[in-house]
Amino acid sequence: MDGKVMIGSPSMALLQQFEKPDSESPSIKPWKRREKYAWMATLYFGTVMLYAARTVMPLCIVSVAAEFKWDKTQTGTVLSSFFWGYTMTQVLGGYLSDRIGGDIIMVTAAIGWSLVTFWTPQLAYISKDEKTTLVIIVISRVLLGCFEGFHYPSMTSIISRKVVDKERSFSYSIVASGSPSGTLFCGSIGSLLLVYYGWHCPFYLIGLTTMCWIIFMRFYLISKSRAKSRLVSIKDNIIADEHSGTPREKSVPWLSIFSKGAFWSIIIGHFCANNAFFILLSWMPTYFHENFPTAKGWVFNVVPWIVSILTSILSGVLADYLISKGYSLTFTRKFIQSLTFGGSAASLVAISYTSSFYGSLFCMAIAVGSCGFHHSGILVNPQDIAPKYAGSVFGIMNMAGAIPGFIGVYLAGHTLEVTKSWAMVFNQTALVCIIGWVVFTLFGTGKKIIG
């Protein structure tokens, strides 16, 4: 018996369990219906607050820039600096989520970005020197981006492990619809607070609300889920923890992944789609303030995001419907993504030819709404092509997708400073959308390429 493992022993049962494929392992079980609803609602609300924290500065930027005397280039620096940090933590977020558990990584990071959001108004007054204030705000935005960069890779890792394939598009679209919902929340409630109480108040509200969400998720949902997952199987003598990284997992096969054209198609496609989304997210309030100064902020900060919520949910319903009717994942992802790129590009070109507020609002609503289809296109594609490494692949993809957040947003501000032309900004953005559509249509796939 010394140094040997008997066939019927608990040790052998444990070793045999670790050798089973993912689909047979009890350590990674899909959520049951009630559990899935609870997690989907919680993840949705977390994404709402994530985007509220991200968009509160673009909402308030006109007032903040006026108070601290920033020009367009400096304003663009403040808006784009968020994405400097956001880019840094994507890969790390995906890796840690796949290894440790997306739930813990998500909550830990949320503590950071909620505190940065809450303290931003106080940080702005640390120094009386305007240049120093600019540097401090830029640093705070970088830190905000670093902490928020963990959220989507964590969420992708959770959903890829806990939701079955046929329900994944709709589930992800519901959770991801928290992004326009958060922007809507910030644009509506935040606009009212901005008008009546000043630009500081929206930061405080969002920071405090996020802290309440963290407390609920950590001390109720995660604690309850982890207690439930620590089950002892009398039959196999196995202790399973469904959220922890599985010891049998090998390292991510990056060389193999990087050699696939489908991988690079989602990198380029996500880059191009995010370029349009981030420019609209960051500069839309400024566009309406400058071109229609008498327009109500709660109108143009709300209507486009209501449309985006609807299209985000519709994208999941449509994707699952197409799959249920026998259409391939490849066709489904490409069709849904074509709605994103085509709708955004056409409306951005059209907005350059309208001078009325309602015409501009309509075009902007179509542009922002088209971005909602992205949630069931490229954004969920890492779970199709590399389900076992979805968090890590998504981290790489979203790191690339964050680059236009600081390059595109900054260049948009610089272009406006030099040319004073919004048409130039919108037409360039439309061209990038067309490039992304061509690449993903030619090289994208819904088939598993690794793992």
Side-chain angles (χ1 to χ4, degrees), residues 37 50 140 143 197 205 208 210 215 219 234 252 258 308 313 367 411 447:
Y37 290 162
L50 179 91
S140 72
L143 288 174
Y197 299 102
L205 174 66
L208 287 173
T210 302
I215 292 171
F219 294 104
I234 298 175
V252 182
F258 286 154
S308 185
I313 296 173
L411 288 178
K447 298 178 181 179

Side-chain angles (χ1 to χ4, degrees), residues 28-48:
I28 303 179
K29 292 181 179 179
W31 285 318
K32 294 181 179 179
R33 179 169 296 183
R34 284 189 177 182
E35 189 179 14
K36 185 179 78 171
Y37 290 162
W39 273 94
M40 289 296 98
T42 305
L43 292 174
Y44 166 80
F45 190 77
T47 308
V48 169

Side-chain angles (χ1 to χ4, degrees), residues 75-355:
T75 299
T77 300
V78 171
L79 293 175
S80 64
S81 58
F82 167 88
F83 298 98
W84 304 348
Y86 193 67
T87 306
M88 297 177 189
T89 53
Q90 295 293 323
V91 179
L92 178 62
Y95 176 81
L96 292 178
S97 297
D98 286 343
R99 290 290 175 175
I100 299 173
D103 50 358
I104 292 299
I105 298 300
M106 181 181 291
V107 167
T108 303
I111 294 172
W113 55 262
S114 64
L115 291 174
V116 172
T117 301
F118 183 82
W119 287 111
T120 294
Q122 300 303 316
L123 294 174
Y125 297 105
I126 289 178
S127 174
K128 294 182 179 180
D129 181 69
E130 293 177 358
K131 291 184 178 179
T132 304
T133 298
L134 178 64
V135 171
I136 291 172
I137 294 298
V138 166
I139 292 174
S140 72
R141 294 281 293 169
V142 172
L143 288 174
L144 181 69
C146 284
F147 288 121
E148 288 205 1
F150 289 94
H151 185 89
Y152 266 95
S154 299
M155 190 166 70
T156 300
S157 182
I158 293 171
I159 293 176
S160 68
R161 291 167 179 263
K162 306 301 294 180
V163 179
V164 296
D165 292 350
K166 64 181 181 180
E167 299 176 356
R168 194 170 288 159
S169 294
F170 181 68
S171 297
Y172 201 90
S173 69
I174 289 292
V175 173
S177 68
S179 59
S181 299
T183 310
L184 174 61
F185 170 77
C186 184
S188 55
I189 304 300
S191 292
L192 294 175
L193 293 175
L194 174 64
V195 171
Y196 292 105
Y197 299 102
W199 66 267
H200 315 79
C201 198
F203 285 89
Y204 294 139
L205 174 66
I206 293 167
L208 287 173
T209 306
T210 302
M211 292 175 196
C212 294
W213 169 75
I214 292 170
I215 292 171
F216 172 82
M217 184 168 178
R218 176 62 185 89
F219 294 104
Y220 175 74
L221 196 61
I222 293 179
S223 295
K224 181 179 178 181
S225 180
R226 292 210 166 211
K228 183 179 178 181
S229 69
R230 293 189 179 93
L231 303 174
V232 178
S233 171
I234 298 175
K235 179 180 178 181
D236 296 319
N237 292 310
I238 297 167
I239 297 178
D241 186 344
E242 64 185 32
H243 289 276
S244 63
T246 45
R248 56 186 157 72
E249 278 190 355
K250 299 178 181 179
S251 59
V252 182
W254 288 120
L255 289 179
S256 180
I257 291 174
F258 286 154
S259 68
K260 308 294 185 180
F263 170 76
W264 290 106
S265 75
I266 65 172
I267 296 292
I268 296 172
H270 192 52
F271 176 98
C272 295
N274 273 9
N275 182 69
F277 180 75
F278 290 145
I279 287 176
L280 292 171
L281 182 73
S282 299
W283 287 106
M284 186 173 66
T286 304
Y287 166 78
F288 280 106
H289 275 299
E290 289 192 353
N291 291 276
F292 309 100
T294 60
K296 301 294 184 181
W298 62 267
V299 175
F300 59 74
N301 284 321
V302 168
V303 173
W305 301 109
I306 291 178
V307 177
S308 185
I309 293 171
L310 298 175
T311 56
S312 179
I313 296 173
L314 175 62
S315 71
V317 174
L318 180 58
D320 285 350
Y321 173 79
L322 291 173
I323 293 170
S324 70
K325 290 299 181 181
Y327 290 94
S328 67
L329 270 176
T330 298
F331 173 82
T332 300
R333 299 300 180 222
K334 290 182 178 181
F335 176 75
I336 296 293
Q337 195 61 41
S338 295
L339 297 177
T340 297
F341 286 130
S344 295
S347 54
L348 285 170
V349 171
I351 201 173
S352 304
Y353 295 94
T354 183
S355 57

Side-chain angles (χ1 to χ4, degrees), residues 1-14:
M1 295 253 329
D2 292 341
K4 297 181 180 180
V5 180
M6 301 302 293
I7 296 299
S9 68
S11 299
M12 177 57 72
L14 184 60

